[in-house]
Amino acid sequence: MSVNENSITMRSIPTLNTLRLILRPFELADGPRVQTLAGAWEIANTTATMPHPYPDGVAEQWIAGHAEGFAKGNNLPLAVCLQDGTLIGCVSLMGFRTSHSRGELGYWIGKDYWGKGYCTEAARELVRFGFAELALNRIFGQHMSRNPASGRVMQKIGMKHEGCLRQHLSRWGKLEDLEHYGLLRCEWLAAQACGMRT
Ligand SMILES: CC(C)(COP(=O)(O)OP(=O)(O)OC[C@H]1O[C@@H](n2cnc3c(N)ncnc32)[C@H](O)[C@@H]1OP(=O)(O)O)[C@@H](O)C(=O)NCCC(=O)NCCS
């Protein structure tokens, strides 16, 4: 058994806190809010799988699968909420329970809340959770080359650019280049020891 498989004892999706945000499990009642926020073209456009238009019922179906997805180690999705409870987006860690001891970071933030550092704050905390609580060895992420804001988030949380996967993804009928980023546990620990904000 790998370190990762051995160390996951959590039975339910956790709630995490940052200075400005609460990262909590989604609830079925969040469905309409998710549909509104994620249904915007500006969100779907640069994601790999978000439907557009966003059909009724899909958000509720997605949320209903979270507990099982977490139990199997397929996904840890967290609702990104302001301190007043307003849901503004989602940050997730996918495929974290494999013998590879790695997880893939993903996120979206409602367009009215862009540019305020919220994604960076949420992603930084989920990366901390992945290394400190799930004992992962590597966290990676990828974004379309035409989506530099996502790349900037990965840079700000200390991930290293590992290369470009040319014409790797077909989306909206067009082949997209993907930028690949990664962060190793040893790099994250070293940055923590130096007091750097990764
Ligand atoms: C990517 C996304 C999550 C960023 O959310 P956010 O809360 O605005 O992110 P932050 O505010 O933490 O950081 C964004 C950074 O990108 C920068 N940025 C924004 N547009 C940019 C552009 N066109 N070129 C370069 N940098 C850009 C911002 O200036 C900021 O960096 P800074 O703090 O150094 O100024 C948001 O744009 C989004 O949801 N996009 C649609 C969904 C998506 O693409 N998800 C990611 C799929 S890989």
Side-chain angles (χ1 to χ4, degrees):
M1 191 177 282
S2 75
V3 175
N4 183 26
E5 286 171 313
N6 205 15
S7 59
I8 299 174
T9 53
M10 237 164 285
R11 297 209 181 276
S12 53
I13 296 177
T15 294
L16 310 175
N17 290 283
T18 70
L19 201 57
R20 296 181 297 168
L21 302 171
I22 301 161
L23 312 179
R24 63 156 173 82
F26 281 90
E27 299 160 3
L28 276 185
D30 296 325
R33 176 70 171 163
V34 169
Q35 184 180 15
T36 300
L37 293 176
W41 167 247
E42 291 86 345
I43 302 295
N45 181 21
T46 48
T47 58
T49 57
M50 191 76 79
H52 189 82
Y54 199 111
D56 290 345
V58 165
E60 286 79 3
Q61 204 179 352
W62 175 67
I63 293 165
H66 285 184
E68 187 183 350
F70 178 71
K72 288 180 172 169
N74 295 336
N75 197 9
L76 165 50
L78 291 169
V80 178
C81 301
L82 303 179
Q83 293 292 346
D84 68 4
T86 307
L87 193 161
I88 64 166
C90 172
V91 64
S92 59
L93 196 58
M94 293 161 281
F96 57 85
R97 195 184 221 163
T98 71
S99 56
H100 307 295
S101 195
R102 68 182 181 216
E104 179 176 3
L105 185 66
Y107 40 68
W108 57 265
I109 297 288
K111 61 180 177 168
D112 290 347
Y113 304 91
W114 286 5
K116 299 177 193 301
Y118 289 139
C119 186
T120 303
E121 191 168 323
R124 181 178 285 127
E125 173 60 11
L126 190 53
V127 164
R128 183 206 64 76
F129 185 83
F131 286 129
E133 309 291 338
L134 299 180
L136 295 177
N137 179 60
R138 166 180 163 80
I139 293 178
F140 70 100
Q142 41 194 351
H143 69 85
M144 293 177 188
S145 302
R146 63 181 174 84
N147 185 16
S150 181
R152 186 72 194 115
V153 170
M154 293 182 200
Q155 289 160 14
K156 285 195 290 180
I157 63 174
M159 296 175 98
K160 312 254 182 288
H161 186 241
E162 296 178 328
C164 174
L165 306 178
R166 295 170 302 152
Q167 302 183 4
H168 191 73
L169 176 78
S170 175
R171 185 65 159 148
W172 316 116
K174 188 173 172 289
L175 290 170
E176 298 278 354
D177 294 348
L178 293 189
E179 305 298 333
H180 211 95
Y181 280 80
L183 181 62
L184 301 181
R185 177 183 180 77
C186 57
E187 295 167 340
W188 179 79
L189 285 171
Q192 301 308 300
C194 295
M196 284 166 61
R197 296 195 68 222
T198 58

